[in-house]
Amino acid sequence: MIFANLTSAPFTKLAKAFTLGAAITLAGCATTQPSAVVDTGSFVVPDYETYQLQNGLTVYLMPQREVPLITVNAVVRAGAVKDTTSGVAAMTAQALLLGANGKSKTDIEQTVDFLGASINADAGKEGSYIVSDFMAKDLNVMLPLVRDVMVKPDFSADEFEKLRQRQIAGLSQAKESPRRVISRYFDKLIFADHLYGNAVSGNSDALQSLTISQLRAFHQSYYQPSNSAISIVGDFDVAAMKTKLQGLFGEWENTEQLQDAALDRGLPKLAASQVLLVNKGDAIETTFMIGGKGIARSNPDYVGLQVINTILGGRFTSWLNDELRVNAGLTYGARSGFRAYSQAGVFQISTFTKSETTKEAMDLALKTYARLWEQGVDEQTLASAKAYVKGQFPPKFETSAQLAGLLADMYLYGFDDQFINNFQAQVDGLTIAESQRLIADYFPQDNLQYVLIGNAVKIGDIAKQYGQVKQVDIKDVGFGH
């Protein structure tokens, strides 16, 4: 499975990076630019319309009349890669719901609960999101609430202090489960001081030092119409929706010129194998990741790599799961995948095993991975993977929430609907020869990187066999500094 955050749940995954356009500072906007209707033909994704308000706010409208529901997904190009203090993007996003436009946190929660609706806000690696689901009849209540939360947050000091303490406690709790945090350590190992190494969650010291003023400044800098998009999917009239959006968001002004983050520059070169050993003294098992650099989300070979990775570690009957779980009994599951951001990404193999079988499991994972080059993929295996991928693909984009998330990701990551429209043709067209090219070009073979979380006393000597070791303790602040 390739992990690319192609759903409307931005709070997981989020994996994400982007190239920012220059902000256009305009006030008092009353008209919109001409819209372009995008015809997706007979493919599973319905037709949608995209246009911009005069202030630069991008809008995606996709009517779906089957059920009287609406999903709004608002995304801002302001994730962890924009952190000025570790964790400020995520804290700013979460603090949006602490009160807005004179409504308290309690007022917002009571309004949403009374309608049986939902509203959530959080950030990922490259974007911040506000996602709301509600009945179509409640549009005139919920859409203005989304606007208030996005554009006019109050940032209540009392509520922020409670949020801060919850997040700091949550960081400690997360580190009790290595599988929840190992990706953060792995990103830091791969990207080092590059912005892609920033952990969305921040760290406890940085969160403790955050102030309301920093959140206000971050919001003012990045929550601008020319840096944002709103996707609306569900049961609505397009003309009426355009009028509502103009009335609610047309007067939203840009505040300052935004600079390109240049995330494609300064990416570290992995010139040697490195091992980050994270000591968890009470661990009775080792959780590990092996891998290296991956791909950007807009890479034209994205679909083909999803098929090849399905064979290696993207489904229950994958090579990795068969060898490590079924045949050797070393783990309950092993997998691999590409986590793609807008300008880069990582490839990783991940699993866990008893401390005593750490070396056996790691060596077997590496031996199984090497089959990509030593054995390659045969026609029968490729055909099976193609069928699996095609079968798994359509259900990812069936609900209004999933479709709204797709549109938001298209804005954030810079890919278009050809990813959807050409998906099946690209899968069907993958040949053995093309598979060999993908394996050679994209799956890292040399200078592999390793993160091991476990009891360092038991596995320290093992770690040294795979590369230069840096040891940290899981209770240390951050994720491998």
Side-chain angles (χ1 to χ4, degrees):
M1 179 184 298
I2 293 188
F3 315 117
N5 299 320
L6 288 176
T7 74
S8 66
F11 319 116
T12 65
K13 322 161 220 93
L14 347 197
K16 298 182 174 178
F18 48 86
T19 303
L20 292 178
I24 304 171
T25 306
L26 294 171
C29 308
T31 61
T32 65
Q33 297 177 1
S35 63
V37 176
V38 181
D39 183 0
T40 58
S42 60
F43 204 73
V44 294
V45 175
D47 294 345
Y48 64 94
E49 185 172 345
T50 181
Y51 67 99
Q52 283 189 336
L53 299 184
Q54 194 65 38
N55 57 10
L57 177 66
T58 298
V59 178
Y60 297 89
L61 299 179
M62 182 184 287
Q64 292 282 277
R65 301 297 179 82
E66 292 83 0
V67 291
L69 299 173
I70 294 175
T71 295
V72 176
N73 188 319
V75 59
V76 181
R77 288 170 167 159
V81 295
K82 290 294 186 181
D83 278 352
T84 50
T85 298
S86 183
V88 67
M91 289 295 284
T92 300
Q94 293 166 27
L96 299 176
L97 298 179
L98 302 182
N101 200 20
K103 304 178 185 70
S104 68
K105 176 176 179 289
T106 299
D107 292 337
I108 293 172
E109 291 172 346
Q110 288 180 344
T111 297
V112 173
D113 287 348
F114 179 77
L115 298 177
S118 68
I119 186 168
N120 297 284
D122 210 337
K125 186 77 78 171
E126 301 160 280
S128 296
Y129 301 81
I130 303 162
V131 180
S132 182
D133 295 288
F134 49 88
M135 296 288 290
K137 66 180 181 62
D138 299 321
L139 174 65
N140 290 333
V141 176
M142 291 303 298
L143 190 58
L145 181 59
V146 171
R147 188 278 313 272
D148 289 345
V149 166
M150 186 176 188
V151 180
K152 301 179 179 182
D154 292 335
F155 293 119
S156 162
D158 291 342
E159 294 293 349
F160 171 68
E161 185 56 35
K162 297 175 188 176
L163 172 64
R164 183 218 308 276
Q165 296 309 318
R166 287 196 302 270
Q167 294 304 105
I168 292 173
L171 274 172
S172 296
Q173 293 170 358
K175 287 193 172 188
E176 290 300 313
S177 174
R179 275 168 269 173
R180 289 181 60 187
V181 297
I182 193 168
S183 292
R184 301 177 216 180
Y185 285 102
F186 195 74
D187 272 6
K188 189 63 181 176
L189 177 64
I190 297 293
F191 295 114
D193 293 329
H194 189 276
L195 295 173
Y196 278 137
N198 293 352
V200 175
S201 62
N203 64 67
S204 55
D205 284 356
L207 296 187
Q208 192 63 56
S209 70
L210 271 180
T211 66
I212 288 289
S213 296
Q214 288 175 289
L215 269 59
R216 291 187 186 278
F218 189 89
H219 181 271
Q220 182 175 2
S221 294
Y222 295 109
Y223 284 69
Q224 301 189 54
S226 61
N227 195 41
S228 307
I230 294 180
S231 304
I232 303 179
V233 180
D235 185 12
F236 60 86
D237 177 78
V238 172
M241 182 63 74
K242 288 182 177 181
T243 300
K244 292 180 186 298
L245 289 170
Q246 178 60 42
L248 289 168
F249 292 95
E251 299 300 320
W252 185 15
E253 297 182 12
N254 293 289
T255 55
E256 60 186 72
Q257 190 82 4
L258 290 168
Q259 299 298 317
D260 184 353
L263 292 166
D264 57 339
R265 302 175 191 168
L267 291 164
K269 296 181 179 179
L270 305 178
S273 290
Q274 303 176 89
V275 182
L276 179 62
L277 175 58
V278 184
N279 178 48
K280 189 174 187 298
D282 61 351
I284 61 173
E285 63 183 25
T286 301
T287 303
F288 64 84
M289 275 189 176
I290 304 170
K293 290 184 179 179
I295 59 169
R297 177 59 189 83
S298 57
N299 190 298
D301 289 321
Y302 180 94
V303 173
L305 288 170
Q306 184 168 356
V307 177
I308 303 303
N309 183 70
T310 294
I311 296 167
L312 175 65
R315 60 179 175 179
F316 187 78
T317 57
S318 69
W319 289 353
L320 284 167
N321 206 57
D322 270 352
E323 293 295 341
L324 275 81
R325 173 184 168 135
V326 179
N327 297 337
L330 293 171
T331 183
Y332 285 111
R335 62 187 306 180
S336 64
F338 289 85
R339 282 190 290 118
Y341 305 134
S342 68
Q343 302 299 322
V346 298
F347 168 78
Q348 62 195 38
I349 295 168
S350 59
T351 190
F352 57 95
T353 190
K354 294 185 297 183
S355 299
E356 293 76 16
T357 56
T358 298
K359 179 171 173 53
E360 183 181 357
M362 292 181 66
D363 286 348
L364 184 55
L366 290 169
K367 179 181 178 181
T368 305
Y369 181 43
R371 285 170 59 184
L372 285 176
W373 296 274
E374 296 172 357
Q375 175 181 315
V377 176
D378 60 42
E379 288 285 2
Q380 183 177 358
T381 303
L382 182 59
S384 173
K386 287 181 178 181
Y388 178 87
V389 169
K390 288 190 293 185
Q392 291 291 307
F393 185 72
K396 296 178 182 178
F397 307 110
E398 289 182 333
T399 69
S400 61
Q402 290 169 326
L403 290 166
L406 169 65
L407 296 172
D409 281 345
M410 285 166 52
Y411 172 80
L412 189 61
Y413 292 113
F415 65 94
D416 59 27
D417 48 42
Q418 293 304 304
F419 164 71
I420 303 295
N421 298 340
N422 296 339
F423 185 89
Q424 182 165 327
Q426 286 185 290
V427 173
D428 288 338
L430 186 61
T431 64
I432 292 294
E434 181 68 0
S435 298
Q436 292 171 340
R437 181 188 69 82
L438 296 179
I439 292 168
D441 288 353
Y442 295 110
F443 287 84
Q445 188 174 12
D446 301 319
N447 301 324
L448 293 174
Q449 307 296 297
Y450 303 79
V451 173
L452 284 72
I453 303 180
N455 187 322
V457 173
K458 296 181 179 178
I459 65 174
D461 289 339
I462 295 171
K464 296 175 183 177
Q465 301 176 36
Y466 298 93
Q468 183 177 355
V469 177
K470 176 182 179 181
Q471 182 174 328
V472 298
D473 195 276
I474 201 164
K475 294 181 181 179
D476 292 344
V477 173
F479 297 93
H481 294 280

